[in-house]
Amino acid sequence: DTIYRQAMRLMKSDEVEAFDLTKETDAVRESYGRGRFGQGCLIARRLIERDVPFVEVTLGDGLGWDTHQNNFDGVRRLSAELDQGWATLMQELKDRDLLDSTTILWMGEFGRTPRINEMAGRDHFPNAWSCVFAGGGVNGGQVYGKTSDDGMEVVDGRVSESDVVASLCAALGVDPETENVSELGRPHKISEGTPIQALLS
C-alpha cells in the first residue's frame, strides 16, 4: 500500500515533468545518446535538478554485462553506450554546479573472468571487479586497489562489498551503522563494512 501511494503521489507531483524529454533540445538528447541508458542519464539529471534524493539508471536489457558469449562485441557496444551517457551526465552536473552535491556510484554485481571461455565470453568472477565513485564526498582522480598481472586476485587494497556500501554511506553523510528494524523486530545495519577513507573527501 505504501509503494502504491508513493507511486500515485509521484504521478501527481512536479517531479513527473522530469520524465518529459520533449522539454530538452535535440542536441542535448543526442549528446546523451538515444539509447535507453543515455536517455535514462538525461532523466537522472532532470530528477537531480528537482532534488530527487536517489536515482538509479540501469544499463542493458536485463542481462547487461552478462557476456558469457561474444564478450568483445557486447562490451564494445555496452561501453559506447555507457561512455556517452555517463560522460554527458557528469559534464552537465558539473556545468550546473550539481556534481559536488551529487554522489555517484557506478558498479555491477561482480566481475568477469580474466580468461575467455570457449564461446568467446567471460563468466562470473566474484574475486575481483571494479566500481567507480565520483562527485560529492568523493576524493576523485585516483585508482584504489590492484589485481595481480593475470587479474585472478586482488593484491593491494582488497575491500568487501560491505566496505563499498559503507563508503557510499560515508560520502553521503549517512552513518553506515544506522539500523533499520524489520517487521520481525530484527535490527539490520545499512552496512557491516568499514568506509574506505582514501576514497572520501
Side-chain angles (χ1 to χ4, degrees):
D1 183 63
T2 301
I3 292 170
Y4 286 123
R5 288 179 184 275
Q6 289 175 339
M8 292 297 292
R9 189 165 48 247
L10 174 62
M11 291 169 63
K12 296 177 181 178
S13 72
D14 292 339
E15 282 81 11
V16 77
E17 186 187 6
F19 295 92
D20 183 2
L21 295 184
T22 64
K23 305 286 187 187
E24 298 287 340
T25 66
D26 284 341
V28 168
R29 294 190 69 179
E30 291 294 337
S31 71
Y32 277 88
R34 288 290 188 158
R36 287 180 62 188
F37 178 75
Q39 297 301 284
C41 286
L42 176 52
I43 290 172
R45 188 263 284 162
R46 291 174 59 82
L47 289 167
I48 291 165
E49 287 177 314
R50 289 161 175 79
D51 297 322
V52 173
F54 181 87
V55 180
E56 178 180 358
V57 184
T58 302
L59 173 59
D61 55 3
L63 296 176
W65 301 85
D66 211 20
T67 54
H68 293 283
Q69 55 190 356
N70 300 321
N71 174 79
F72 298 101
D73 291 339
V75 169
R76 186 179 299 109
R77 176 182 49 78
L78 290 162
S79 295
E81 191 174 357
L82 171 70
D83 289 351
Q84 185 174 3
W86 184 21
T88 304
L89 173 62
M90 295 275 288
Q91 187 62 55
E92 284 220 307
L93 290 176
K94 182 178 179 182
D95 293 345
R96 294 162 188 255
D97 294 323
L98 292 169
L99 186 58
D100 288 341
S101 60
T102 304
T103 303
I104 296 170
L105 172 58
W106 174 82
M107 66 183 294
E109 57 186 328
F110 43 58
R112 311 299 297 174
T113 50
R115 296 193 177 98
I116 305 303
N117 66 26
E118 62 278 0
M119 296 179 292
R122 296 172 69 191
D123 298 314
H124 298 168
F125 191 69
N127 296 355
W129 78 89
S130 301
C131 63
V132 178
F133 280 94
V138 174
N139 181 18
Q142 64 170 316
V143 174
Y144 183 88
K146 180 182 178 181
T147 63
S148 55
D149 289 343
D150 62 5
M152 292 299 291
E153 62 179 330
V154 178
V155 295
D156 182 47
R158 184 179 190 88
V159 298
S160 69
E161 300 88 344
S162 296
D163 296 336
V164 172
V165 173
S167 301
L168 175 62
C169 288
L172 294 169
V174 174
D175 182 354
E177 296 194 2
T178 300
E179 291 183 342
N180 295 300
V181 180
S182 73
E183 292 178 357
L184 300 176
R186 183 177 174 195
H188 296 277
K189 291 180 181 178
I190 296 175
S191 175
E192 300 280 350
T194 302
I196 306 162
Q197 293 302 320
L199 300 184
L200 304 173
S201 61

